[in-house]
Amino acid sequence: MAASLRLRGAASGLRFWSRRQRPAVASLAVVCSRSMASKTPVGFIGLGNMGNPMAKNLMKHGYPLIIYDVFPDACKEFQDAGEQVVSCPADVAEKADRIITMLPTSINAIEAYSGANGILKKVKKGSLLIDSSTIDPAVSKELAKEVEKMGAVFMDAPVSGGVGAARSRNLTFMVGGVEDEFAAAQELLGCMGSNVVYCGAVGTGQAAKICNNMLLAISMIGTAEAMNLGIRLGLDPKLLAKILNMSSGRCWSSDTYNPVPGVMDGVPSANNYQGGFGATLMAKDLGLAQDSATNTKSPILLGSLAHQIYRMMCAKGYSKKDFSSVFQFLREEETF
């Protein structure tokens, strides 16, 4: 798929939505028709660390679910709760005209939509398909073209916030697609997140997510390096974190997701770096940033270095640990 595919559909500009403020309705007919069907079944494909709590929040808002995951065990608790489990993405599309996908990679997304038993095999005209995976923007654009041929609507809506935010319904969604369909997407996404931001045409949601995660990786590495240095200089880690968080070095990685064991409760570093956002996924997202930087001739010196560091971590046994385990990696790699 060519990375040079032109952006299509939406006008430029940024639209923001939160629980406190909603944008003006662009298409009353669309909103009314969607609202009338508010509690009709919603399809959900991909019940991993993020997809599981996202789907549960839809359930809490009264939406019946039609669900599928490549690992049947992931569906069991939903089936026990009375939700309908089907055997492939095509069957989801046959039973629901609003579908959310939450998948690990571009390859997984392509298979779910365009595979032998993919969504496009049985998608209904007028269906709204929302992909919350973090994938290559060019793949999102190509999928949108294929979906459009079937008379349906595709929007990319990757998320930021991590597993904790997914559980507490505090995710941020970055949405790309036809602007007239934003309100319809917002109805569902608002059940799973506190911020829903319209970014522009298909692919711009992915672009925003890639930029965010590149910055997150860089700031996490910086926080880990600063904490490691301070500890080796004799500072108590909790005291150092307190000072950083009341000073100009403060960031999300230091005050909300600190990578040093014992500094904070309820974060992966307090649980041997289990759960959270895996180092493999961070390496994947940084690879997407690297590809996008190459295509746009954009210098990302620190982003490229972060990509190398996370690839090294994955090669040395950190692939299944949370990305904040970069602190542990740096502690063990004294040869740097």
Side-chain angles (χ1 to χ4, degrees):
M1 284 171 279
S4 61
L5 289 170
R6 295 183 183 275
L7 295 177
R8 307 169 71 178
S12 62
L14 182 70
R15 176 172 288 176
F16 177 81
W17 174 87
S18 72
R19 291 187 188 128
R20 296 171 299 280
Q21 179 179 358
R22 291 178 182 265
V25 174
S27 174
L28 183 60
V30 170
V31 175
C32 288
S33 64
R34 298 289 188 190
S35 297
M36 289 173 63
S38 287
K39 302 306 178 185
T40 58
V42 173
F44 204 104
I45 298 172
L47 299 168
N49 287 342
M50 293 293 290
N52 178 292
M54 290 168 64
K56 287 177 178 176
N57 279 325
L58 285 172
M59 290 171 59
K60 290 175 183 176
H61 280 78
Y63 289 98
L65 299 182
I66 310 294
I67 61 174
Y68 170 77
D69 191 277
V70 68
F71 297 107
D73 286 349
C75 301
K76 187 176 186 308
E77 63 177 318
F78 291 92
Q79 190 169 32
D80 291 346
E83 306 302 331
Q84 186 173 355
V85 177
V86 295
S87 60
C88 65
D91 290 345
V92 176
E94 185 177 38
K95 296 176 181 293
D97 60 8
R98 293 181 294 177
I99 301 172
I100 297 168
T101 51
M102 188 62 172
L103 303 162
T105 68
S106 296
I107 293 174
N108 298 131
I110 292 169
E111 180 65 21
Y113 281 88
S114 303
N117 293 303
I119 291 169
L120 295 181
K121 294 296 181 183
K122 295 183 179 180
V123 68
K124 305 170 187 174
K125 287 186 177 181
S127 291
L128 176 63
L129 311 179
I130 303 172
D131 182 35
S132 287
S133 317
T134 299
I135 61 175
D136 189 327
V139 172
S140 291
K141 295 173 194 175
E142 188 66 22
L143 289 176
K145 288 169 61 178
E146 295 302 313
V147 168
E148 185 179 6
K149 290 177 184 176
M150 304 300 293
V153 175
F154 177 93
M155 305 188 85
D156 61 305
V159 304
S160 178
V163 175
R167 289 173 180 154
S168 62
R169 196 167 70 90
N170 282 318
L171 292 170
T172 292
F173 287 88
M174 293 150 273
V175 185
V178 178
E179 189 172 10
D180 284 351
E181 293 289 345
F182 176 64
Q186 169 190 302
E187 179 189 333
L188 295 177
L189 301 181
C191 297
M192 300 177 286
S194 55
N195 302 308
V196 183
V197 184
Y198 180 71
C199 299
V202 169
T204 56
Q206 298 294 351
K209 174 61 186 293
I210 289 169
C211 292
N212 178 79
N213 274 23
M214 182 178 74
L215 179 58
L216 174 61
I218 293 168
S219 68
M220 179 58 76
I221 293 169
T223 299
E225 288 184 346
M227 293 294 297
N228 185 40
L229 176 61
I231 291 168
R232 292 192 178 191
L233 288 172
L235 286 166
D236 175 78
K238 286 188 176 181
L239 174 64
L240 177 56
K242 180 180 179 180
I243 293 170
L244 292 176
N245 293 333
M246 62 174 62
S247 305
S248 56
R250 179 182 181 181
C251 64
W252 187 86
S253 297
S254 68
D255 72 359
T256 303
Y257 211 82
N258 198 283
V260 180
V263 169
M264 295 182 67
D265 295 326
V267 294
S269 63
N271 188 36
N272 195 29
Y273 300 104
Q274 300 302 306
F277 184 64
T280 298
L281 292 176
M282 180 56 84
K284 182 263 294 184
D285 288 358
L286 289 166
L288 295 175
Q290 185 71 70
D291 291 343
S292 296
T294 299
N295 292 335
T296 59
K297 296 182 172 59
S298 303
I300 54 165
L301 305 182
L302 294 179
S304 294
L305 183 57
H307 186 209
Q308 292 179 44
I309 289 171
Y310 276 100
R311 288 181 65 190
M312 290 173 63
M313 287 175 61
C314 292
K316 294 196 173 186
Y318 287 82
S319 60
K320 294 184 180 179
K321 290 182 178 290
D322 179 74
F323 81 106
S324 63
S325 63
V326 66
F327 172 78
Q328 186 180 61
F329 174 71
L330 292 172
R331 293 278 287 180
E332 294 175 355
E333 295 293 327
E334 296 184 355
T335 56
F336 281 139

